[in-house]
Amino acid sequence: MPINTFREDETTKEVIKIHTIKRLFRYMINYKKEVISVLLLMSIIVSVNIINPILIKIAIDNYIAFDNYNGLIRIGILAIIINLISMVCIKRRIIIMSKVSNEILLTIRQELYTHIQKLAFNFFDSRPVGKILARIIGDVNSLKDILNNSVITLIPDFITIIAVAIIMLLMNFRLALAALSMLPFLIFIMNYIQIKAHKRWQDFRNKNSNMNAFTHEDFSGMRVVQSFAAEGQTSDTFEKLLQEHKKSFISAFKLSNIFWPIVEVSWGVGTVLVFYFGVRLLGTGTITVGLLVAFTSYISMFWHPIMNLSNFYNQLITNLAGAERIFEIMDIEPDIKDVDEAKEMEQISGKVQFKKVSFEYEKNIKVLDDVSFTIEPGEAIALVGPTGAGKTTIINLISRFYDIQKGDILIDDVNIKEVTIESLRSQMGIMTQDTVLFSGTIKDNIRYGKLDATDEEIIQAAKSVYAHEFIENLEQGYDTEINERGVRLSVGQRQLIAFARTIISNPRILILDEATSSIDTKTERLVQKGIEALLEGRTSFVIAHRLSTIQKANRIFVVADGKIIEEGTHRKLLEIKGLYYNLYKAQV
């Protein structure tokens, strides 16, 4: 499969922008009451803004012109009251929309996170973790301004523009045409800019994703970086990515920043034309001074929302690339999912069958080729063979981490594709050589295998793998805090904790993939006793390169070139003197 690294930009499918916008705003359906209340508040605010110039006109033409100070005071008090009401409405609308936009962001992030957890391993195999994090965190955060301003800017300002345009046309048709003369030019230029700007913001998102991917990869492997004194090399790589990130941002921002000067120029030209024609009309008696003053106020009220809308439009173009990247992930169908009529897997007894199974990660490159075998309940099966022979693939297919291209896999005579994934995997215990611990206490990490486990069950699980003694010797015992990598513990200690976590889940089928590879020989002898007790009555699959650990297995499968080429007990395979014999002699 193609692998995307921090050195490559992600490819984003071209989608119709209006579809992305509709899909994004669909999240507001669950907040109808809040949105309606904000719109009502905005209607009050807009009404006050529209009334203010009319009050100025009345004050000039009806009161100031005739020295009517009592009337001027009354209209001044009215203006103060309605503007105070407007201020209260503004504060309230900000609080409501901030809450709504944040809750929508939480919903989108949760949906994205939940969806990603359902995706198959090949999704994670094909891209760095840092690029996935960039979508969950950065791209989701970029949507906040769009969601917030869509209600408090888009709808009210659009209504304001229409209302003010109508009022201006009614007040004086010729002055209104002069004020609006630059609008067609503005619309044309903005449409041209958004096409170019959107592509540049997509590029910026990709560069940001590349930088996140490298940072995550570098910090995760910091021990290796420092061990090889490669800090200078990684710093150079980061600086290169940072420069690409900076250049892409400047390129996109320069183009997007043209929005405001164009609006201001259009605003200024429209205002000049209004004053030019307005002053000439004053001499004809067609308009009054109050009307001209009110008209100039309406010009500001007309172009200021256009400035806001152009700002919102700019935000939309800037951040729409983030929404596209989010929805692109959400639209990926999980390769591994329950069929429509999937049933719950009953308690497994442990019979496992492979019937002519073939599998490939990449097209036309077979990893398993026509593999068949039957495992009886309670059997302990060891898988040995060269690296890349297909051993780990076999156990991944049993857990249905991948779907096969050909053949059938049955557990207790039931095809694993016919049961729910959760009911299947919940009855399996899987432990690999890549030990993953989570930040928290040792007790929390063991309890991860059984969330309702008591402290007594946790201690018993640790004792069964001989981890109890070293845990008790830690400063805070089972309550010792560890980080996600467990750096305070040795590799062997981390594996013992992971082993206790697997044991406490009480699996019906146990899978151990090089589970004791990092445990010293003395500790391994102790753990082997725990393993033997654990394997009793359970079907188990053990992958081990140290052949001394699997001699007691019921059967040993020798895997090479995607096939099982030898099968039998340790003694029988030595008698055959095939590949297993050669591997064993090489180790001995």
Side-chain angles (χ1 to χ4, degrees), residues 37-56:
S37 65
V38 169
L39 291 177
L40 291 174
L41 292 172
M42 288 303 302
S43 66
I44 297 173
I45 297 168
V46 170
S47 298
V48 171
N49 290 337
I50 292 174
I51 290 172
N52 279 332
I54 296 175
L55 295 179
I56 294 173

Side-chain angles (χ1 to χ4, degrees), residues 461-491:
K463 285 181 177 179
S464 66
V465 294
Y466 299 90
H468 177 71
E469 184 176 349
F470 92 79
I471 294 174
E472 282 288 281
N473 288 333
L474 295 174
E475 184 177 348
Q476 295 180 320
Y478 285 86
D479 293 318
T480 300
E481 292 280 345
I482 57 176
N483 64 13
E484 59 184 296
R485 297 186 304 276
V487 292
R488 294 181 58 187
L489 306 173
S490 69
V491 176

Side-chain angles (χ1 to χ4, degrees), residues 58-74:
I58 294 172
I60 293 173
D61 290 344
N62 296 356
Y63 300 122
I64 295 177
F66 298 101
D67 295 329
N68 185 347
Y69 297 108
N70 290 330
L72 186 62
I73 292 172
R74 286 196 300 270

Side-chain angles (χ1 to χ4, degrees), residues 541-554:
F541 293 84
V542 181
I543 296 178
H545 286 105
R546 288 156 67 175
L547 302 184
S548 59
T549 64
I550 60 170
Q551 294 182 21
K552 294 183 180 180
N554 297 114

Side-chain angles (χ1 to χ4, degrees), residues 47-167:
S47 298
V48 171
N49 290 337
I50 292 174
I51 290 172
N52 279 332
I54 296 175
L55 295 179
I56 294 173
K57 178 183 179 301
I58 294 172
I60 293 173
D61 290 344
N62 296 356
Y63 300 122
I64 295 177
F66 298 101
D67 295 329
N68 185 347
Y69 297 108
N70 290 330
L72 186 62
I73 292 172
R74 286 196 300 270
I75 202 167
I77 293 172
L78 175 62
I80 291 172
I81 292 172
I82 63 174
N83 278 277
L84 285 174
I85 294 173
S86 177
M87 290 174 61
V88 173
C89 292
I90 290 173
K91 184 176 180 180
R92 184 61 185 160
R93 80 129 199 241
I94 291 173
I95 293 172
I96 295 174
M97 274 313 300
S98 296
K99 182 179 178 181
V100 169
S101 59
N102 277 288
E103 287 184 358
I104 291 175
L105 288 185
L106 289 175
T107 301
I108 293 174
R109 185 174 281 119
Q110 183 64 52
E111 286 184 4
L112 181 60
Y113 179 81
T114 302
H115 180 74
I116 288 175
Q117 286 194 114
K118 295 178 182 178
L119 299 179
F121 281 2
N122 54 14
F123 170 81
F124 301 95
D125 295 341
S126 62
R127 69 201 73 208
V129 173
K131 291 195 175 186
I132 300 174
L133 291 175
R135 302 207 186 199
I136 295 177
I137 300 173
D139 290 341
V140 173
N141 286 342
S142 70
L143 304 179
K144 183 174 182 179
D145 288 338
I146 297 179
L147 293 168
N148 194 38
N149 292 334
S150 62
V151 175
I152 64 175
T153 299
L154 182 62
I155 298 174
D157 283 348
F158 188 70
I159 294 172
T160 300
I161 290 171
I162 294 174
V164 171
I166 292 172
I167 291 173

